[in-house]
Amino acid sequence: MKKNWQIFWHILIWISIIAFFLFLIHNDKMTMHRTLVIFVLYGSINISLFYLNYLLFIPRLLNRKRYGMYAVAMVFTIIIYGVGKYGVGLMFKQDVLVHMKVMMSFWSYFTSTLFVSIIFLFLSVVLKFSVDWFLNERIQRDLENQRLSAELAFLKSQINPHFLFNSLNSIYSLAYQQSENTPGAILKLSEIMRYMLYECNDNKVDLAKELQYLQNYIDLQKIRFGNKAFIDFKIDGQVTDQQIVPLLLIAFIENAFKHGIANDSLSPIRLLISVDQEHLHFYIQNKKHSNNRDDMGGIGLNNVKRRLDLLYAGKYNLDIRDEIDTYTCELSLVL
């Protein structure tokens, strides 16, 4: 079907060009018969020369870097077409070869048509290389999109195991302590995993669902700490129909609980999310353990940084401040 459309557009363009010249040049001094011979008949001959080069010589010789053979083929083709055009001219002497009542010789006519033949050959080369360039660009874009999609799928596949690993560690701690909160933690984890498995398959999700997912994770952590986890979580602005890339913010909260002090009521984890219709500002700060030697971040933050680069390129600003006593992350992005 696509090839049929290409043929249709080629035919339409050539008909339009010939019709344009017929309209532009035809006048009382040029008979209709002579006009048809010169512009329709010879136009068709030159068009055949165009496609001979476009469909045969360029793909089989020029594209394969057989430059010598291509040059020889061009010379022979120009000669053969020159002879052929002169032969056609002999059939329509008065319209083609007679100029001011003088009969043109072969060489005079050949040299006069040489430039026209070269023009059509040149145009076929320009069109072929232009089409090939656009096709190659599209192929490269498709390959790049496929590569980025594969990379995003890989990054996203890392999120579930990474989150599950941390959460199971928390639940294991509760089970080890024989805490009565263990069943509630398992139920909360199942709700979180249901969201991650069934509602995060699209490129973007409703911001309201993503914020509820963050709240569920915070509730799970509070259960882990025996409701002694202190986090100041606020949402400013109206959450309506905004959308966001799923599982983008959780890494910051995970790291706050993993590396920070969560059970100090005087220094709670501070989490503020401000939203409007087109922007989101995320702020989280936690107090650091004095003996915490682990690098802040790990897989989670490296993952989210890469996803931001791929999905919000030029539309986000991430500021991470690793200070002596506190660790702060601020993310601003265009939704």
Side-chain angles (χ1 to χ4, degrees), residues 261-279:
I261 298 175
N263 58 357
D264 186 352
S265 61
L266 299 178
S267 300
I269 296 172
R270 296 180 58 205
L271 174 57
L272 174 64
I273 298 177
S274 302
V275 296
D276 58 32
Q277 194 62 32
E278 297 181 354
H279 301 86

Side-chain angles (χ1 to χ4, degrees), residues 84-100:
K85 288 178 181 179
Y86 186 76
V88 173
L90 291 175
M91 299 171 59
F92 303 97
K93 293 181 182 180
Q94 296 298 322
D95 297 314
V96 178
L97 298 179
V98 175
H99 181 64
M100 298 182 68

Side-chain angles (χ1 to χ4, degrees), residues 42-146:
Y42 276 87
S44 300
I45 294 173
N46 287 320
I47 291 172
S48 70
L49 175 62
F50 176 98
Y51 283 106
L52 180 65
N53 190 40
Y54 183 83
L55 299 174
L56 182 63
F57 294 142
I58 295 177
R60 296 191 179 184
L61 298 177
L62 194 57
N63 285 350
R64 298 180 182 179
K65 298 182 180 181
R66 298 177 181 177
Y67 302 123
M69 294 182 64
Y70 179 76
V72 172
M74 288 298 94
V75 171
F76 274 99
T77 299
I78 289 173
I79 294 174
I80 291 172
Y81 265 78
V83 173
K85 288 178 181 179
Y86 186 76
V88 173
L90 291 175
M91 299 171 59
F92 303 97
K93 293 181 182 180
Q94 296 298 322
D95 297 314
V96 178
L97 298 179
V98 175
H99 181 64
M100 298 182 68
K101 299 182 179 181
V102 177
M103 180 77 169
M104 298 177 65
S105 66
F106 169 76
W107 289 111
S108 297
Y109 181 77
F110 180 83
T111 54
S112 67
T113 61
L114 179 62
F115 179 74
V116 176
S117 297
I118 292 175
I119 287 294
F120 274 83
L121 291 172
F122 174 76
L123 290 176
S124 64
V125 172
V126 170
L127 178 63
K128 184 65 176 177
F129 277 92
S130 297
V131 170
D132 289 347
W133 184 83
F134 280 110
L135 287 176
N136 288 333
E137 283 293 305
R138 188 175 67 181
I139 291 172
Q140 290 300 319
R141 285 197 302 270
D142 290 343
L143 290 175
E144 180 66 12
N145 289 335
Q146 291 175 17

Side-chain angles (χ1 to χ4, degrees), residues 67 88 90 117 167 177 205 215 224 265 284 296 299 330:
Y67 302 123
V88 173
L90 291 175
S117 297
S167 299
Q177 299 169 19
V205 297
Q215 183 65 64
R224 170 197 169 193
S265 61
I284 188 167
M296 301 293 285
I299 293 176
E330 283 193 77

Side-chain angles (χ1 to χ4, degrees), residues 164-215:
L164 186 60
F165 175 78
N166 289 340
S167 299
L168 288 176
N169 273 345
S170 301
I171 295 175
Y172 171 78
S173 177
L174 292 174
Y176 184 79
Q177 299 169 19
Q178 297 183 348
S179 171
E180 62 181 10
N181 292 323
T182 303
I186 295 174
L187 180 62
K188 186 66 65 173
L189 178 61
S190 69
E191 293 175 358
I192 292 172
M193 295 305 296
R194 185 181 299 111
Y195 171 77
M196 297 174 72
L197 292 174
Y198 299 111
E199 298 191 40
C200 294
N201 295 323
D202 295 329
N203 292 331
K204 290 190 175 183
V205 297
D206 290 340
L207 179 60
K209 292 183 178 180
E210 186 72 6
L211 295 180
Q212 182 59 52
Y213 161 68
L214 298 182
Q215 183 65 64

